[in-house]
């Protein structure tokens, strides 16, 4: 009888120990799965956040390239219009009309730049200052617009389309001369910068697009309209 009781007691102990071990194992597995799921969700959220930053940077660079191209087109059309009216030999500032409504500045965020730095150091160095390159070009256009309007407001003009002809006295010519030199310098900068920067921005845009397609499976195709 005593042996029987001992056997039953031992059996109960084994059952209790087995149950506790099974419970601990199940608890461990559940906890491990919970941690794995939390880690998976964290990695997914991080990936989506980085992907959103990539899209934001990409669309900003599209705006920069588009703005530079449109500004360059405005200059080309203005020169062509002046030459159509026989002003082919005029100085550059006399041919280029100010742009009425300039686009707003573009600013890369620190998160966007940190993302790019983590993916491609060389491209980060090339693109890093390009929002300021774009914004400084807008400043040149704005300065040209202000100074040209200030100069032209002093004189009346006989208009033929968008081209005006003004008669100047010697005193007027002396007053205009240094201002005209400054305007012509700004016009040359505008012409050179739009030609150079549009090609450079296009190259950067192609590189960024290729990088983000590889890293984030970016969907939008990159196509450029021919002028």
């Amino acid at each position: 009888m005593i042996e029987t009781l001992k056997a039953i007691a031992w059996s109960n102990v084994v059952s209790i120990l087995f149950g506790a071990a099974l419970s601990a194992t199940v608890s461990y597995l559940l906890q491990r799965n919970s941690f794995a799921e939390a880690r998976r969700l964290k990695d997914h959220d991080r990936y989506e956040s980085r992907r959103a930053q990539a899209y934001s940077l990409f669309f900003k660079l599209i705006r920069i390239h588009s703005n530079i191209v449109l500004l360059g087109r405005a200059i080309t059309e203005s020169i062509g219009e002046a030459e159509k009216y026989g002003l082919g030999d005029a100085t550059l500032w006399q041919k280029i009309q100010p742009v009425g409504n300039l686009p707003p500045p573009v600013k890369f965020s620190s998160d966007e730049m940190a993302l790019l730095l983590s993916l491609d150091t060389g491209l980060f160095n090339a693109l890093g200052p390009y929002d300021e390159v774009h914004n400084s070009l807008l400043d040149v256009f704005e300065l040209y617009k202000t100074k040209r309007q200030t100069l032209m407001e002093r004189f009346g003009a006989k208009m033929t389309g968008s081209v005006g002809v003004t008669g100047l006295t010697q005193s007027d010519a002396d007053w205009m001369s240094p201002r005209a030199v400054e305007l012509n310098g700004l016009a040359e900068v505008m012409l050179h910068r739009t030609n150079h920067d549009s090609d450079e921005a296009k190259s950067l845009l192609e590189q960024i697009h290729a990088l983000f397609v590889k890293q984030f499976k970016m969907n939008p195709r990159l196509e450029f309209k021919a002028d």
Side-chain angles (χ1 to χ4, degrees), residues 91-117:
T91 55
L92 199 56
W93 78 268
Q94 292 174 303
K95 300 178 185 180
I96 297 177
Q97 297 291 325
V99 176
N101 295 314
L102 291 171
V106 175
K107 184 66 178 176
F108 300 148
S109 72
S110 56
D111 288 341
E112 292 163 354
M113 288 292 95
L115 167 68
L116 186 57
L117 179 60

Side-chain angles (χ1 to χ4, degrees), residues 27-79:
S27 177
Y28 166 76
L29 291 175
L30 290 174
Q31 189 176 46
R32 188 182 67 175
N33 290 340
S34 177
F35 286 157
E37 179 64 13
R39 185 165 54 250
R40 187 190 69 80
L41 290 175
K42 182 178 180 180
D43 290 343
H44 175 75
D45 290 345
R46 181 175 181 272
Y47 173 83
E48 289 299 322
S49 175
R50 286 165 63 83
R51 191 167 186 263
Q53 292 164 8
Y55 269 90
S56 177
L57 180 58
F58 176 65
F59 290 135
K60 285 180 180 179
L61 193 52
I62 286 179
R63 283 175 53 200
I64 286 176
H65 175 259
S66 177
N67 289 343
I68 296 172
V69 168
L70 291 175
L71 291 173
R73 187 177 301 166
I75 289 177
T76 301
E77 292 175 353
S78 188
I79 293 174

Side-chain angles (χ1 to χ4, degrees), residues 18-28:
F18 178 77
L22 180 61
S23 176
T25 301
V26 170
S27 177
Y28 166 76

Side-chain angles (χ1 to χ4, degrees), residues 78 81-83 85 87 94 97 157-165:
S78 188
E81 184 74 9
E83 292 177 348
Y85 285 97
L87 297 178
Q94 292 174 303
Q97 297 291 325
K158 182 179 179 180
M159 300 300 297
T160 304
S162 59
V163 177
V165 178

